[in-house]
Amino acid sequence: MIDNLHFAVEAVWKVLLVGLVLGAGLPAVFAVGVRSLAWGTGGAAEVAVDSPPHPVGRALAGVCFLVVLAGIGLGLTIVIAAGQGKIVSFDHVYPTIVDKPK
Amino acid sequence: MTEATLILVLVIGTALAFDFTNGFHDTGNAMATSIATGALRPKVAVALSAVLNLVGAFLSVEVALTVTNAVVKVQDKSGAPIPELTDNHGYALLLIILAGLVGGVLWNLLTWLVGLPSSSSHALFGGIIGATIAGLGTSGVNWNGDGSKLDGVVGKVVLPALVSPVIAGVVAAVGTWFVFRITAGVAQRFTENGFRWGQIGSASLVSLAHGTNDAQKTMGVITLALIASGHWSDTGAVPFWVKLVCALAIAVGTYLGGWRIIRTLGKGLVEISSPQGMAAESSSAAVILASSHLGFALSTTHVATGSILGSGVGRPGARVRWGIAGRMVLAWLITLPAAGVVGALMWTVGDALGGYAGPLVVVLALVALAAYLFVRSRRQPVHPGNVNDEWTGTPSVSVRKQEVAA
């Protein structure tokens, strides 16, 4: 019982941390992308109706959406790797696929 | 046909029925928000989810033969059934599994009727725990594991159920808050359109993860039955036909769509908009993947529900129907004991009658009760045409109100 509680507490803060970074961070990045796109498009999309288009905004939006796509890619990799009995390791900071520790 | 063959056939059939209810019970976890916000038309959403579940089920080459080890002690570490239960082609073990499955299926159907999401894995575990207690006594249950890792009823069922909605809710609330802060003032056609895509992407990830996790459980149960009865001996692999039928059963179930549950999740808890939907599904995907990655598997249902609630908490001025959330939590709390009582009852009946009659009566009881629940559901059907209607209460409550009025 105590062992389980101990393991659970250890896992909970990790899941919460990763969840916040990816689960809340990526939507925030996506929102920045949407905002940039509106800014880049200008006109009626923005807060002020007659604001001019900004190409920088479109570029920034592109970067944001790429970051989000990379996040989805990471998620897909984890799912597929888990199905093959592998695990995505972050030991080298960048993700690598390794065998699941037994 | 011998007794052993009969009970094996019944176990496989009931396991597939469970897999099927698992599918439609959980469609809403991934797709309720996309359906509620109109990002996907209802039929398209369930078709997408079904395909991803099918793909997900085949993605898992890793065998989940030891699925029952988390909560009961009927298998050894390799996945082989314990020798005491393998006499007469595993009749004793098969009866426990059959009774447990019936408990799981009935709980899934009952919660579906009243439109409440509840964890299918907990229902299955509950049924099997109940049948095991009836058959082998409380010592047959793995309450706490051996202390080397998160395990047992406490570590694999109770603790995850308590923390998962909270974690998911916090993540979704923070995400939603950011999204609304960042996009405040941006024209709605931009936000709605943009976030719809984000929502579909994150919901698809949840569906795929669901397929890889949940179909495996039924594959594990059927393979255990095959090993116990002497029809399969390899504890390192699942027969291909088992994989195929399980993948199909969960996909067909998903495609059928548990519209009653989708409606509660999509319309009942929170009036959801696309940005909230995206924040909720992203939270679900991130929390499910992070937790299974860290070996702290959380129920998709609890996570998804927590996320949707969180997306209501995080949006300034949004209304959350806490009464419905409370009913869900209540349902989660009684999932394990309720499915357990049914499992125990079914085992007792099956064991008392024994032979051919025992398992047959158990399955007939399941069929009769399932038919009754289905007929009840027709009184107030929920389907793709009315799934997004204005919220007036969970199905069962409305039925009662109508009866009073009449």
Side-chain angles (χ1 to χ4, degrees):
Chain A
M1 179 77 189
I2 299 299
D3 289 327
N4 267 322
L5 265 181
H6 177 75
F7 288 121
V9 170
E10 206 167 279
V12 161
W13 75 261
K14 281 188 199 156
V15 173
L16 187 62
L17 194 73
V18 177
L20 282 172
V21 171
L22 296 178
L26 286 178
V29 172
F30 192 85
V32 172
V34 168
R35 166 126 234 173
S36 309
L37 196 62
W39 184 62
T41 309
E46 251 289 20
V47 186
V49 177
D50 54 354
S51 57
H54 301 85
V56 182
R58 284 174 174 273
L60 187 62
V63 173
C64 290
F65 293 143
L66 278 181
V67 170
V68 173
L69 277 180
I72 294 177
L74 176 67
L76 269 179
T77 313
I78 291 178
V79 173
I80 295 168
Q84 314 295 319
K86 308 267 187 195
I87 193 165
V88 177
S89 157
F90 295 93
D91 290 345
H92 309 288
V93 183
Y94 60 89
T96 45
I97 299 173
V98 297
D99 281 332
K100 196 177 192 170
K102 288 290 168 193
Chain B
M1 192 187 272
T2 64
E3 289 168 7
T5 315
L6 174 75
I7 194 169
L8 177 65
V9 169
L10 292 175
V11 164
I12 293 172
T14 314
L16 290 177
F18 173 79
D19 205 22
F20 176 75
T21 63
N22 194 161
F24 73 71
H25 222 279
D26 291 357
T27 317
N29 294 338
M31 288 302 167
T33 61
S34 300
I35 292 170
T37 62
L40 290 170
R41 280 186 291 119
K43 281 288 194 184
V44 176
V46 293
L48 175 64
S49 185
V51 169
L52 289 168
N53 266 284
L54 190 68
V55 173
F58 278 107
L59 272 181
S60 40
V61 178
E62 174 92 317
V63 249
L65 263 181
T66 52
V67 57
T68 68
N69 281 4
V71 291
V72 291
K73 300 170 188 165
V74 297
Q75 293 174 269
D76 65 21
K77 278 204 161 57
S78 73
I82 55 172
E84 297 84 48
L85 294 173
T86 49
D87 291 349
N88 188 15
H89 300 285
Y91 189 90
L93 180 68
L94 292 184
L95 189 61
I96 290 177
I97 297 177
L98 181 67
L101 283 167
V102 170
V105 174
L106 282 177
W107 180 253
N108 271 353
L109 288 174
L110 185 69
T111 44
W112 161 76
L113 178 68
V114 296
L116 288 177
S118 87
S119 167
S120 298
S121 332
H122 285 198
L124 175 64
F125 283 157
I128 289 182
I129 292 169
T132 303
I133 292 177
L136 306 175
T138 48
S139 63
V141 179
N142 179 11
W143 297 107
N144 268 306
D146 59 7
S148 66
K149 60 178 195 307
L150 264 174
D151 198 17
V153 177
V154 172
K156 291 270 191 187
V157 183
V158 179
L159 289 176
L162 292 177
V163 297
S164 50
V166 180
I167 298 178
V170 169
V171 171
V174 172
T176 305
W177 186 82
F178 269 123
V179 165
F180 276 96
R181 282 292 297 233
I182 292 167
T183 58
V186 175
Q188 210 181 15
R189 74 184 168 87
F190 259 83
T191 53
E192 282 294 314
N193 260 335
F195 286 113
R196 274 181 192 173
W197 282 108
Q199 207 183 347
I200 295 168
S202 44
S204 299
L205 209 49
V206 174
S207 286
L208 191 67
H210 184 262
T212 50
N213 286 328
D214 279 31
Q216 267 200 40
K217 288 179 187 132
T218 318
M219 294 178 198
V221 168
I222 293 181
T223 309
L224 171 63
L226 290 172
I227 294 174
S229 62
H231 288 83
W232 186 259
S233 55
D234 184 356
T235 55
V238 172
F240 178 77
W241 68 266
V242 172
K243 191 170 266 192
L244 181 70
V245 290
C246 287
L248 286 174
I250 202 164
V252 171
T254 306
Y255 180 71
L256 190 75
W259 299 106
R260 310 174 89 80
I261 298 168
I262 292 175
R263 178 162 165 70
T264 307
L265 277 173
K267 301 297 284 184
L269 284 172
V270 179
E271 284 302 326
I272 213 160
S273 64
S274 289
Q276 284 169 292
M278 168 174 180
E281 295 306 330
S282 305
S283 161
S284 297
V287 171
I288 290 166
L289 293 179
S291 64
S292 63
H293 183 80
L294 292 165
F296 184 53
L298 302 179
S299 161
T300 317
T301 304
H302 300 158
V303 170
T305 312
S307 292
I308 292 172
L309 274 179
S311 77
V313 174
R315 180 181 185 179
R319 177 167 157 235
V320 179
R321 293 192 188 89
W322 289 106
I324 294 171
R327 282 170 60 119
M328 287 183 189
V329 173
L330 193 67
W332 298 347
L333 290 176
I334 56 178
T335 295
L336 204 72
V341 166
V342 177
L345 205 67
M346 290 295 169
W347 185 88
T348 311
V349 171
D351 184 60
L353 296 171
Y356 288 97
L360 261 183
V361 166
V362 166
V363 170
L364 285 177
L366 170 67
V367 171
L369 285 165
Y372 170 72
L373 293 173
F374 179 75
V375 169
R376 276 296 303 262
S377 81
R378 301 318 293 167
R379 281 199 206 165
Q380 204 197 16
V382 180
H383 48 77
N386 68 2
V387 69
N388 277 341
D389 286 359
E390 201 58 33
W391 182 258
T392 50
T394 44
S396 64
V397 177
S398 315
V399 168
R400 251 179 268 134
K401 273 183 196 148
Q402 282 169 1
E403 281 167 354
V404 171

